Amino acid sequence: MTEHHGSDRDLDALRRRLADFAAARDWQPFHTPKNLAAALSVEASELLEIFQWLTPEESARVMADAGTADRVKDEVADVLAYLLQFCDVLGLDVLAALSDKIERNERRFPVAGERSNDRQGSPDRHSPE
């Protein structure tokens, strides 16, 4: 088993490891934006599949079962891996993109007391878009 140091846990180091892994196997021709977006969608669906028939209460306790927790961790890792590879291929800074999106959402969805009356109770208030 490979020992991972603290620097291996930052996103840039993980992105480099993923790129090196793919390059060593000559997978770059397959890592097109379309293919990576499709793979990302598939892995997100596999994560959803774990929760598909659970009640809200069961889903909140999903990490209590070691086997299910391992499945969740694996699918989360797959989603993040494909997202990082997708961003790498397109030259996107994933953290900058997230920061920009949070800033737009902070303006779009002000805290209670700051929002106008026409936005209160809006069905899209929890949407990240």
Side-chain angles (χ1 to χ4, degrees):
M1 179 178 276
T2 304
E3 183 178 329
H4 300 291
H5 302 287
S7 64
D8 290 340
R9 293 184 61 131
D10 71 59
L11 284 181
D12 195 49
L14 292 171
R15 182 199 53 75
R16 284 192 307 272
R17 284 180 66 196
L18 288 166
D20 291 346
F21 182 89
R25 290 153 181 82
D26 296 321
W27 288 353
Q28 300 98 323
F30 306 103
H31 285 191
T32 64
K34 179 195 91 47
N35 287 351
L36 291 168
L40 176 59
S41 177
V42 168
E43 295 303 337
S45 295
E46 289 178 4
L47 177 62
L48 177 59
E49 183 180 31
I50 297 167
F51 295 88
Q52 185 174 10
W53 301 113
L54 300 181
T55 66
E57 296 78 18
E58 290 168 335
S59 71
R61 295 188 306 268
V62 74
M63 299 305 285
D65 176 75
T68 305
D70 284 343
R71 288 178 57 212
V72 169
K73 286 188 269 187
D74 280 348
E75 297 309 333
V76 165
D78 289 342
V79 168
L80 183 56
Y82 280 120
L83 180 60
L84 291 176
Q85 290 173 90
F86 177 82
C87 290
D88 193 38
V89 165
L90 292 178
L92 294 172
D93 179 333
V94 68
L95 294 179
L98 178 57
S99 180
D100 291 348
K101 183 64 175 192
I102 291 169
E103 288 174 18
R104 284 193 307 277
N105 280 344
E106 287 171 340
R107 288 189 303 274
R108 184 175 173 200
F109 304 107
V111 295
E114 294 179 9
R115 69 178 143 220
S116 64
N117 288 336
D118 61 333
R119 295 290 301 163
Q120 287 184 337
S122 173
D124 69 345
R125 65 190 164 114
H126 296 291
S127 171
E129 295 183 33

